[in-house]
Amino acid sequence: MRLGIDLGGTKTEILAVGDDGLEWLRQRAPTPVHSYDEILAAIAALVQAAEEQIGTHGSVGVAIPGTISARTGFVKNANSTVLNGRPLDRDLETALKRPIRMANDANCFTLSEATDGAAAGRNVVFGVIAGTGVGGGVCVGGRLQEGPHRIAGEWGHNPLPAPRANEFPGPPCYCGRSGCIETWISGPALARDFGQRTGRSLSAAEIHRLAIAGDSAAMEVMEDFLDRLARAIGSVINILDPDAVVLGGGLSNLPGLADEVARRAEAYTFMPETPTLVVKNAFGDSSGVRGAAWLWRPEDVPSALPR
Ligand SMILES: [Zn+2]
């Protein structure tokens, strides 16, 4: 049995997957956001409860909203800030008495979709998270490619490609630079762009609906958003030439987005003979917890699980 845990900003979810690939159990608990020790205890309690209910021990993979620094071994870049600077993977290994695997939640999303989701059977897969922030991940041959700095796929902090005069230098980003892709194609960026042009405060989904209904300001904002997204993905395609790009995050729910991106990105890639496959995710919000379980493949689940 494999256990996947998605440690989110407000909720922590556990999923148990049998060796047959079937989901045996899924449970959620609130994330204790203010205390690192309480987060450790909450994860341990979820694992213990799941194993008691099922009657066997499993491998444990964990998706986190950040990454383990390859240099320090501590969590960095987590928006659940009590995790930052802590050796979460080692502390969980001690608490759970077994080796565990841990990866960034965008990477787990990509692994889930590449394993048995919208990009199943594709060799090189680029997973896109576009929501509150913009992140991504890379899978090759069903394996995550994290890189020596564990930043593979972090395209959200590249500069927006081919900026127009009115897009330079671009909005300041929390990473310290200006004009990052994240400052142009996240949900808040879309809302900001619409707000600056109209003085109105609407969500991305509402702006999209207005554009479909023929509102000229919303149509202009969506046109610029789609063009920027296509430029950003086109530059990834030039470097990676993926077999599939899978769209995830809140913005992936905008109707027709994948087809629009596929069509437009072709214009920004280097003479492709056929368009790159761009698809919407298959598992939505479940991809984090599913990908966490897939961090251990059936053939490499550790034999030394606690008894
Ligand atoms: Zn940035």
Side-chain angles (χ1 to χ4, degrees):
M1 173 182 70
R2 288 167 292 151
L3 297 169
I5 292 161
D6 186 8
L7 178 56
T10 56
K11 287 183 300 271
T12 301
E13 184 171 15
I14 188 167
L15 170 71
V17 183
D19 295 336
D20 48 11
L22 293 178
E23 295 190 5
W24 287 357
L25 170 149
R26 187 187 281 260
Q27 278 164 352
R28 280 182 169 188
T31 301
V33 287
H34 300 299
S35 163
Y36 178 74
D37 289 338
E38 285 178 21
I39 288 177
L40 281 180
I43 293 174
L46 278 171
V47 169
Q48 189 183 356
E51 294 188 329
E52 277 176 11
Q53 200 169 327
I54 293 168
T56 183
H57 293 289
S59 61
V60 174
V62 185
I64 63 167
T67 193
I68 299 282
S69 162
R71 187 173 63 84
T72 66
F74 299 140
V75 176
K76 64 174 185 175
N77 300 344
N79 53 11
S80 297
T81 51
V82 295
L83 300 175
N84 288 323
R86 299 296 198 127
L88 180 61
D89 52 349
R90 280 168 283 155
D91 286 343
L92 277 177
E93 288 185 337
T94 302
L96 299 173
K97 301 185 181 66
R98 75 198 80 182
I100 69 151
R101 290 181 178 172
M102 185 171 281
N104 172 258
D105 45 16
N107 285 357
C108 289
F109 162 80
T110 307
L111 180 58
S112 167
E113 294 294 333
T115 301
D116 61 351
R122 309 284 172 176
N123 185 35
V124 179
V125 177
F126 183 61
V128 165
I129 295 287
T132 311
V134 174
V138 178
C139 260
V140 179
R143 297 267 180 183
L144 265 180
Q145 308 295 314
E146 296 184 289
H149 305 94
R150 300 205 176 121
I151 57 170
E154 290 294 350
W155 68 312
H157 297 277
N158 283 359
L160 181 71
R164 321 287 190 219
N166 64 350
E167 293 171 338
F168 188 81
C173 181
Y174 73 87
C175 75
R177 301 187 188 90
S178 289
C180 291
I181 285 169
E182 177 165 306
T183 69
W184 288 111
I185 63 163
S186 62
L190 183 57
R192 179 202 66 224
D193 197 10
F194 185 75
Q196 283 174 348
R197 297 193 209 196
T198 64
R200 298 166 67 194
S201 175
L202 293 181
S203 71
E206 290 166 333
I207 296 164
H208 185 259
R209 270 198 296 275
L210 269 187
I212 299 285
D215 178 275
S216 60
M219 287 169 72
E220 280 175 28
V221 167
M222 283 308 304
E223 175 63 29
D224 284 349
F225 167 79
L226 291 168
D227 181 63
R228 289 163 182 156
L229 182 55
R231 274 183 263 160
I233 287 183
S235 70
V236 171
I237 291 172
N238 275 350
I239 292 173
L240 196 59
D241 195 10
D243 295 283
V245 174
V246 186
L247 303 184
L251 292 178
S252 69
N253 294 320
L254 296 178
L257 186 68
D259 289 343
E260 274 291 331
V261 170
R263 184 174 67 76
R264 290 166 181 258
E266 196 178 359
Y268 294 111
T269 53
F270 181 58
M271 295 186 285
E273 291 164 351
T274 56
T276 297
L277 180 69
V278 180
V279 288
K280 186 185 172 183
N281 64 78
F283 292 110
D285 292 342
S286 291
S287 268
V289 76
R290 300 179 86 264
W294 299 154
L295 289 171
W296 295 95
R297 287 156 58 118
E299 62 270 25
D300 57 19
V301 165
S303 53
L305 291 172
R307 306 237 164 245

